[in-house]
Amino acid sequence: MTKSDLLIIGSGPGGYRAAQYAAQHSLSVVIVEAEDAGGTCLNRGCIPTKTLCRNAEIIDTLHEANTFGLEGEGYALNFAAVMERKNQVVNQLRSGVEALMKQPNITMVHGFAKFKDLKTVVVNEEEYTADNIIIATGSDSKCPPVEGLQLPGVINSTQLLSINHLPKRLCIIGAGVIGMEFASVFSSFGTQVTVVEFLKECLPVLDSDIAKRLRQTIGKRGVEFSMQSAVKSITETTDAEGNRQLTVNYEKKGKPLHTDADLVLIATGRKPNTEGLELEMAGVEYSPKGINVDDDFQTTTANIYAIGDVNGRCMLAHAATFQGLHVVNKILGKTDNIKFDIMPSAIFTNPEAASVGPTEDQLKAEGRQYECRKGFYRSNGKALAMNETDGMLKLLVDTADNNRIIGCHAFGAHASDLVQEVSTLINLGATTQQLADTIHIHPTLSEILHDIVC
Ligand code: FAD
């Protein structure tokens, strides 16, 4: 039996960052990983997708080559090279995490962990015991109850990230973050993309105005959207030349419709990874939505915590990381001031969208007194210089509290960087006057923010 101060299950951005931080603070840590170090984020989530997003962005810029005075024949896409670059980025970062997990005070164990009791887990028939345990097992793709999911070519995001040829036609079921990012990327690669979504608007996490504008912008780039459409089945059919294809059958306002495609991506959400952990052995309660936790991410068993996607609170890499840091602080008896209700997020379509704080819709529903100030990329010097004039930003301020900044929702080039600035201001309780008094570099996109408070 191996004994440590802290045992962590899962080495995603929740688990490995918590391990690193705990080790820096002199705790002995055992971290268990069933697959590759770095978790979903590094191996099949944030990092590979953002690498592909960068390829897409370059292709989109090349489409505007004439605008930038570039003349010539153009370029052909070498999809194998695109995927190879993605693999290299992932491998480099994974080696980095593996190296971090070799530092003094950390032991990494490869295998699948399951609970024996509230202080012991079993991995490869070996027992590991610790005073405190963090469950950071992440999530996996969730499939809707639709006929035909088992057909070859009906795939999830992990499988799409390892295809070896570019599909001519891709049908994406679900217009959430994952579906929209892949729609944007593959349409830039030249694939004909159709998105079929049950809801009226894409990206329900976003401000509805921003979501609509983003969908329209991506739509203008050639992505076809079928909103308010309920997928009924996926079938195998043949195209005009007699080749096998997949047909997504759906119903829109009572009317049966279909879309033909070579690949169908199921992007209808994620489910927490609780299966096989034998949580009952440790008295840890959970539901299909995730492991039950309190505001310190403590489970129903006092010495066991659950962070990241597995508790279902906020399925973002940085949420997992900061939840992990907070738990380690709690174990160390340290207080921190991490505000989990100020959670910035971004969607890396082209253009990007990003958001922090409540949306206008939420403020209206709560009957709050607020003002919405809007800024547009088209009137910003840097945006014009970049030829990135499509975009807008909404800054929400609390008029009942000295014009304190409470939210920001944006779409356009580098929207995530602009929203990050506002996230910092919200954390510091800043007002519009304090933002107006802050000198901004000229020319930058962040002047959009400054201009709307001056
Ligand atoms: P994970 O990263 O899922 O790691 C969990 C780890 O636990 C895995 O390695 C798994 O193998 C291991 N594990 C599970 N069960 C066991 C067990 N019993 N024993 C041992 N090991 C186990 N988020 C963002 O913030 N920005 C983005 O741009 C972004 N893009 C994304 C794109 C895609 C396509 C996907 C799928 C996700 C994306 N996400 C993004 C979400 C992000 O990846 C997750 O929120 C994040 O990885 C969650 O971190 P985690 O530490 O909770 O779990």
Side-chain angles (χ1 to χ4, degrees), residues 9-15 32-36 39-41 44-46 49-50 111-113 136-139 157 178 182 270 273 277 307-309 315-318 320 348:
I9 310 175
S11 71
V32 188
E33 174 53 61
E35 295 182 36
D36 289 320
T40 305
C41 169
R44 47 194 177 273
C46 326
T49 51
K50 267 75 264 179
F112 191 90
T137 50
S139 65
S157 59
I178 293 175
F182 278 118
R270 312 262 311 162
N273 278 334
L277 276 170
I307 60 164
D309 285 10
M315 290 195 175
L316 290 170
H318 43 284
F348 296 92

XYZ file of all heavy atoms in Angstrom, residues 9-15 32-36 39-41 44-46 49-50 111-113 136-139 157 178 182 270 273 277 307-309 315-318 320 348, ligand 1:
343
model
N -7.402 11.706 -8.846
C -7.773 10.786 -9.937
C -8.054 11.621 -11.177
O -9.023 12.384 -11.214
C -9.016 9.939 -9.577
C -8.833 9.282 -8.204
C -9.268 8.882 -10.649
C -10.073 8.533 -7.715
N -7.190 11.483 -12.187
C -7.357 12.229 -13.430
C -6.317 13.331 -13.556
O -6.100 14.095 -12.613
N -5.648 13.378 -14.720
C -4.576 14.369 -14.897
C -4.904 15.396 -15.968
O -4.043 15.827 -16.731
C -3.264 13.665 -15.245
O -3.340 13.152 -16.568
N -6.178 15.810 -16.048
C -6.566 16.915 -16.932
C -6.159 18.236 -16.291
O -5.416 18.256 -15.303
N -6.670 19.361 -16.838
C -6.282 20.663 -16.276
C -6.718 20.837 -14.821
O -6.143 21.649 -14.092
C -7.004 21.669 -17.173
C -8.064 20.887 -17.872
C -7.573 19.486 -17.974
N -7.710 20.072 -14.383
C -8.083 20.082 -12.964
C -7.045 19.345 -12.155
O -6.422 19.889 -11.232
N -6.812 18.078 -12.525
C -5.956 17.201 -11.733
C -4.483 17.569 -11.741
O -3.857 17.688 -10.684
N -3.385 9.619 -10.455
C -3.676 8.416 -11.242
C -4.289 8.823 -12.570
O -5.207 9.657 -12.608
C -4.677 7.501 -10.489
C -4.828 6.159 -11.210
C -4.253 7.293 -9.049
N -3.810 8.237 -13.660
C -4.348 8.570 -14.980
C -4.564 7.294 -15.789
O -3.650 6.491 -15.951
C -3.398 9.532 -15.709
C -3.775 9.850 -17.142
C -5.206 10.360 -17.326
O -5.547 11.395 -16.765
O -5.997 9.676 -18.032
N -5.782 7.131 -16.307
C -6.118 5.930 -17.078
C -5.654 6.018 -18.525
O -5.434 5.003 -19.178
C -7.634 5.714 -17.031
N -5.549 7.253 -19.044
C -5.144 7.406 -20.458
C -3.902 8.285 -20.542
O -2.927 8.024 -19.862
C -6.318 7.962 -21.265
C -7.496 6.983 -21.321
C -8.633 7.504 -22.166
O -8.375 8.169 -23.176
O -9.790 7.253 -21.795
N -3.972 9.343 -21.376
C -2.791 10.198 -21.548
C -2.772 11.352 -20.560
O -3.824 11.939 -20.263
C -2.777 10.777 -22.967
C -2.464 9.712 -23.995
O -1.598 8.866 -23.717
O -3.097 9.733 -25.067
N -5.250 14.950 -19.951
C -6.710 14.827 -20.000
C -7.327 15.211 -21.333
O -6.661 15.265 -22.374
N -8.620 15.483 -21.281
C -9.390 15.838 -22.483
C -8.841 17.124 -23.090
O -8.616 17.211 -24.302
C -10.874 16.060 -22.098
O -11.338 14.895 -21.438
C -11.728 16.344 -23.313
N -8.642 18.110 -22.245
C -8.230 19.438 -22.708
C -7.020 19.356 -23.635
O -7.049 19.848 -24.755
C -7.931 20.291 -21.476
S -7.128 21.836 -21.853
N -7.600 15.868 -26.523
C -8.739 15.769 -27.456
C -9.758 16.897 -27.249
O -10.924 16.741 -27.549
C -9.412 14.389 -27.318
C -9.667 13.982 -25.896
C -10.020 12.524 -25.689
N -10.155 12.274 -24.255
C -9.152 11.960 -23.448
N -7.934 11.803 -23.929
N -9.347 11.778 -22.154
N -9.286 18.018 -26.693
C -10.211 19.134 -26.445
C -9.611 20.459 -26.857
O -9.309 20.687 -28.029
N -9.396 21.322 -25.864
C -8.956 22.707 -26.103
C -7.759 22.800 -27.050
O -7.798 23.553 -28.033
C -8.528 23.376 -24.793
S -9.432 22.890 -23.337
N -8.099 21.392 -30.817
C -9.081 22.197 -31.570
C -8.535 23.603 -31.834
O -8.701 24.132 -32.931
C -10.450 22.296 -30.850
O -10.242 22.717 -29.501
C -11.194 20.981 -30.841
N -7.870 24.178 -30.837
C -7.359 25.537 -31.059
C -6.200 25.543 -32.049
O -5.973 26.527 -32.751
C -6.945 26.189 -29.740
C -8.040 27.011 -29.120
C -9.157 26.258 -28.463
C -10.393 25.977 -29.196
N -11.379 25.211 -28.443
N -3.215 3.901 -14.841
C -4.219 2.857 -14.641
C -5.548 3.482 -14.280
O -5.647 4.705 -14.104
N -6.556 2.650 -14.188
C -7.922 3.111 -13.890
C -8.171 2.981 -12.386
O -7.999 1.898 -11.817
C -8.926 2.276 -14.689
C -10.314 2.824 -14.653
C -10.740 3.741 -15.613
C -11.207 2.435 -13.660
C -12.028 4.255 -15.579
C -12.493 2.950 -13.618
C -12.907 3.870 -14.579
N -8.580 4.068 -11.750
C -8.774 4.059 -10.290
C -10.226 3.775 -9.925
O -11.147 4.257 -10.589
C -8.372 5.418 -9.729
N -11.017 14.039 -10.333
C -10.943 15.002 -11.460
C -10.996 14.199 -12.755
O -10.117 14.299 -13.603
C -9.656 15.810 -11.358
N -12.042 13.387 -12.877
C -12.099 12.406 -13.972
C -12.758 12.933 -15.246
O -12.912 12.186 -16.212
C -12.834 11.125 -13.501
O -14.064 11.524 -12.897
C -12.006 10.346 -12.499
N -13.162 14.191 -15.244
C -13.603 14.819 -16.486
C -14.937 14.333 -17.019
O -15.829 13.901 -16.260
N -15.064 14.382 -18.335
C -16.341 14.033 -18.975
C -16.096 13.384 -20.323
O -14.968 13.359 -20.821
C -17.160 15.312 -19.184
O -16.486 16.154 -20.101
N -16.422 14.157 -31.122
C -15.351 15.141 -31.351
C -13.972 14.497 -31.293
O -13.074 14.865 -32.051
C -15.457 16.286 -30.344
O -15.356 15.798 -29.022
N -18.754 23.144 -28.960
C -17.956 22.189 -29.747
C -18.446 22.158 -31.193
O -17.659 22.238 -32.139
C -17.982 20.792 -29.083
C -17.231 20.862 -27.739
C -17.370 19.720 -29.990
C -17.275 19.597 -26.902
N -16.152 23.433 -34.530
C -15.831 22.533 -35.647
C -16.484 23.025 -36.949
O -15.913 22.872 -38.036
C -16.263 21.094 -35.337
C -15.267 20.346 -34.492
C -15.604 19.870 -33.235
C -13.974 20.108 -34.951
C -14.687 19.174 -32.454
C -13.051 19.411 -34.186
C -13.407 18.944 -32.933
N -21.790 16.868 -23.110
C -20.826 15.993 -22.450
C -21.444 15.435 -21.181
O -22.263 16.090 -20.533
C -19.563 16.781 -22.069
C -18.989 17.636 -23.184
C -17.863 17.025 -23.912
N -16.808 16.485 -23.108
C -15.903 15.608 -23.580
N -15.969 15.183 -24.837
N -14.941 15.150 -22.819
N -17.706 11.797 -16.085
C -17.133 10.448 -15.983
C -17.204 9.930 -14.548
O -16.293 10.177 -13.746
C -15.646 10.473 -16.380
C -15.453 10.426 -17.875
O -16.301 9.918 -18.604
N -14.334 10.946 -18.322
N -15.957 4.162 -11.134
C -15.184 4.678 -9.987
C -15.589 4.014 -8.676
O -14.865 4.113 -7.685
C -15.419 6.192 -9.838
C -14.583 7.126 -10.696
C -15.124 8.555 -10.604
C -13.120 7.120 -10.251
N -13.642 17.952 -8.707
C -13.417 19.213 -9.430
C -13.556 19.001 -10.942
O -13.429 17.883 -11.429
C -12.015 19.791 -9.120
C -10.907 18.796 -9.545
C -11.871 20.159 -7.653
C -9.527 19.407 -9.634
N -13.802 20.090 -11.652
C -13.823 20.039 -13.116
C -15.105 19.455 -13.674
O -16.149 19.424 -13.018
N -15.016 18.957 -14.891
C -16.206 18.486 -15.612
C -17.015 17.469 -14.814
O -18.232 17.381 -14.974
C -15.795 17.832 -16.941
C -15.388 18.857 -17.996
O -15.236 20.043 -17.646
O -15.221 18.458 -19.165
N -18.235 23.236 -17.443
C -17.332 22.352 -18.197
C -16.335 23.153 -19.035
O -16.415 23.217 -20.260
C -18.141 21.385 -19.035
C -18.847 20.354 -18.166
S -19.436 18.978 -19.131
C -20.060 17.881 -17.866
N -15.403 23.780 -18.327
C -14.338 24.557 -18.975
C -13.018 24.200 -18.301
O -12.979 23.972 -17.079
C -14.584 26.045 -18.802
C -15.759 26.647 -19.584
C -16.026 28.068 -19.114
C -15.487 26.619 -21.080
N -11.934 24.232 -19.088
C -10.636 23.839 -18.547
C -10.210 24.735 -17.385
O -9.735 24.254 -16.350
C -9.591 23.896 -19.656
N -10.378 26.052 -17.550
C -9.918 26.957 -16.479
C -10.795 26.836 -15.232
O -10.321 27.072 -14.116
C -9.820 28.406 -16.966
C -10.960 28.857 -17.822
N -11.101 28.479 -19.131
C -12.030 29.644 -17.549
C -12.194 29.039 -19.630
N -12.780 29.731 -18.689
N -11.958 23.966 -14.175
C -11.373 22.784 -13.518
C -10.101 23.167 -12.763
O -9.906 22.790 -11.595
C -11.066 21.713 -14.565
N -14.047 29.647 -29.844
C -12.984 30.002 -30.783
C -13.373 29.725 -32.238
O -12.676 29.038 -32.966
C -11.684 29.307 -30.375
C -11.188 29.785 -29.035
C -11.537 29.126 -27.869
C -10.402 30.924 -28.938
C -11.112 29.585 -26.624
C -9.970 31.393 -27.709
C -10.325 30.719 -26.543
P -10.365 16.030 -18.196
O -9.534 17.003 -18.927
O -11.448 15.358 -18.936
O -9.390 14.951 -17.585
C -9.873 13.861 -16.881
C -8.855 12.770 -16.908
O -9.250 11.753 -15.979
C -8.747 12.070 -18.254
O -7.411 12.088 -18.695
C -9.220 10.641 -17.999
O -8.509 9.675 -18.746
C -8.935 10.487 -16.508
N -9.776 9.477 -15.855
C -11.137 9.344 -15.937
N -11.552 8.352 -15.131
C -10.461 7.847 -14.524
C -10.244 6.805 -13.575
N -11.261 6.145 -13.025
N -8.971 6.542 -13.202
C -7.934 7.249 -13.703
N -8.081 8.247 -14.586
C -9.326 8.555 -14.987
N -12.510 24.106 -22.440
C -12.000 25.357 -22.437
O -11.912 25.980 -21.388
N -11.574 25.948 -23.612
C -11.666 25.324 -24.798
O -11.278 25.878 -25.824
C -12.207 23.991 -24.831
N -12.313 23.307 -25.991
C -12.804 22.028 -25.975
C -12.921 21.329 -27.177
C -13.408 20.016 -27.190
C -13.527 19.289 -28.498
C -13.761 19.398 -25.958
C -14.260 17.972 -25.951
C -13.657 20.081 -24.762
C -13.189 21.402 -24.758
N -13.090 22.132 -23.576
C -12.614 23.414 -23.597
C -13.502 21.547 -22.286
C -12.278 21.068 -21.504
O -11.562 20.140 -22.279
C -12.721 20.430 -20.205
O -13.551 21.354 -19.500
C -11.538 20.081 -19.345
O -10.687 19.162 -20.000
C -12.005 19.475 -18.021
O -10.889 19.189 -17.252
P -10.928 18.049 -16.134
O -9.596 18.137 -15.460
O -12.142 18.185 -15.342
O -11.062 16.682 -16.921
